Amino acid sequence: MRIVVLTGAGISAESGLRTFRDSGGLWEGHDVDAVATPEGFERDPDLVLRFYDDRRRAAATADPNPAHRALARLERALGDDFLVVTQNVDDLHERAGSVRLMHMHGELNRALCRACAARPEWHADLLDRPACPACGERTLRPDVVWFGEMPYGLDVIGDAVVSCDIFVSIGTSGAVYPAAGYVALAAAYGARTVELNLEPSDADVPFDEVWSGLASVVVPRWVDRFIVRDTR
Ligand code: BJW
């Protein structure tokens, strides 16, 4: 049985990281065009670098919650038949123990060099324009995928989505493509589709099964269906 899990900001909300579109969300006070487009970066790089430096620091002090840990537990049980595709740029899945993981919208803990396209691991601020470790140019930006840019790993993700038996969407509003289209794709290829969210999202097609509630509560409950005994 193959399972693909798509996660969004809602899974990290109870770790203290704000979501994008909920009331009080991250982009209140920040125009999306200003901080999440290449054009916004060209217009005001300091604003964008400061925005991501702040978020990198916030993510570093956050801890994985029971939802992240439950998915890592399920991966240990299913091995290669399990894949987490996250839209999140934090590293809470890997710190919970997930290994089979795709960061389709990039990672806060990587930089992207606009001169040589290197993608070094990066944990420090970018605002002071550090040099790229590969080419020496001071042309680093956050390695995150902004609107109008191509997400990472689409071939691998697409293959996994069309061949899974169960597709699960956790804590995402279904407002951003191509991720938002995966539920329809999985359903078209015969997968059972499941949504775990605080409230039903805006999906293209109805899910077969909907579990409403906090991720920290419903994700471990859903995972426990598949695991007989794992005390780690
Ligand atoms: C809880 C909870 C709790 C709260 N427990 N739940 C049609 C097809 C293809 C593309 C497009 C299209 N139409 C438009 C496009 C272009 C565009 C797009 O989608 N625009 C929309 C505005 C319509 N997409 C793109 O530009 C993408 N690139 C692209 O399309 O390339 C060409 C291409 C074409 C065809 C095929 C393939 C490629 C790139 C998108 C990049 C998005 N980047 C961002 C920023 C990343 C860096 C950063 O983090 O700053 O990614 S935008 C932002 O939204 C971020 C997120 O990953 C993403 C999704 O947000 P998410 O995770 O869903 O968060 P929220 O806040 O929206 O929802 C939170 C949810 O949690 C809610 O449902 C709550 O209920 C729930 N929740 N607390 C459980 N405790």
Side-chain angles (χ1 to χ4, degrees):
M1 180 190 44
R2 279 172 291 192
I3 300 182
V4 171
V5 174
L6 173 71
T7 65
I11 196 167
S12 296
E14 291 160 81
S15 296
L17 302 181
R18 283 181 292 177
T19 64
F20 296 91
R21 291 169 187 83
D22 297 336
S23 158
L26 187 66
W27 286 345
E28 272 189 9
H30 279 292
D31 180 4
V32 174
D33 288 344
V35 293
T37 63
E39 296 77 19
F41 183 65
E42 288 303 319
R43 265 195 309 271
D44 193 345
D46 278 12
L47 172 81
V48 177
L49 292 174
R50 200 174 292 115
F51 175 73
Y52 283 98
D53 285 349
D54 288 347
R55 287 181 56 200
R56 189 181 306 102
R57 268 185 250 114
T61 57
D63 290 315
N65 67 53
H68 299 101
R69 288 197 291 273
L71 294 181
R73 212 160 61 232
L74 188 52
E75 180 186 329
R76 284 198 293 272
L78 295 181
D80 286 339
D81 288 335
F82 188 75
L83 178 68
V84 174
V85 176
T86 188
Q87 298 168 83
N88 299 341
V89 294
D90 65 58
D91 63 348
L92 297 182
H93 281 301
E94 41 273 65
R95 284 203 269 133
S98 288
V99 176
R100 294 164 181 90
L101 172 69
M102 305 287 300
H103 275 280
M104 66 180 293
H105 290 165
E107 298 171 60
L108 286 169
N109 288 333
R110 277 188 195 283
L112 169 65
C113 179
R114 289 178 299 127
C116 73
R119 296 175 63 203
E121 193 171 323
W122 202 266
H123 299 276
D125 285 358
L126 290 170
L127 181 62
D128 49 0
R129 309 300 197 278
C132 170
C135 72
E137 296 293 324
R138 297 186 178 278
T139 43
L140 294 175
R141 56 163 270 190
D143 187 19
V144 299
V145 178
W146 289 322
F147 285 108
E149 297 183 325
M150 194 59 81
Y152 288 117
L154 294 184
D155 288 351
V156 173
I157 296 168
D159 286 349
V161 169
V162 300
S163 58
C164 70
D165 302 295
I166 304 179
F167 175 85
V168 190
S169 170
I170 302 175
T172 175
S173 60
V176 174
Y177 289 85
Y182 288 145
V183 57
L185 184 64
Y189 278 81
R192 181 165 183 77
T193 59
V194 183
E195 170 162 61
L196 314 180
N197 200 317
L198 207 47
E199 52 197 41
S201 69
D202 225 0
D204 287 356
V205 296
F207 285 88
D208 295 319
E209 211 178 304
V210 175
W211 296 43
S212 297
L214 293 168
S216 65
V217 176
V218 293
V219 178
R221 242 182 235 160
W222 177 80
V223 162
D224 282 346
R225 279 177 152 192
F226 298 93
I227 295 181
V228 180
R229 191 157 54 91
D230 180 346
T231 51
R232 279 175 288 179

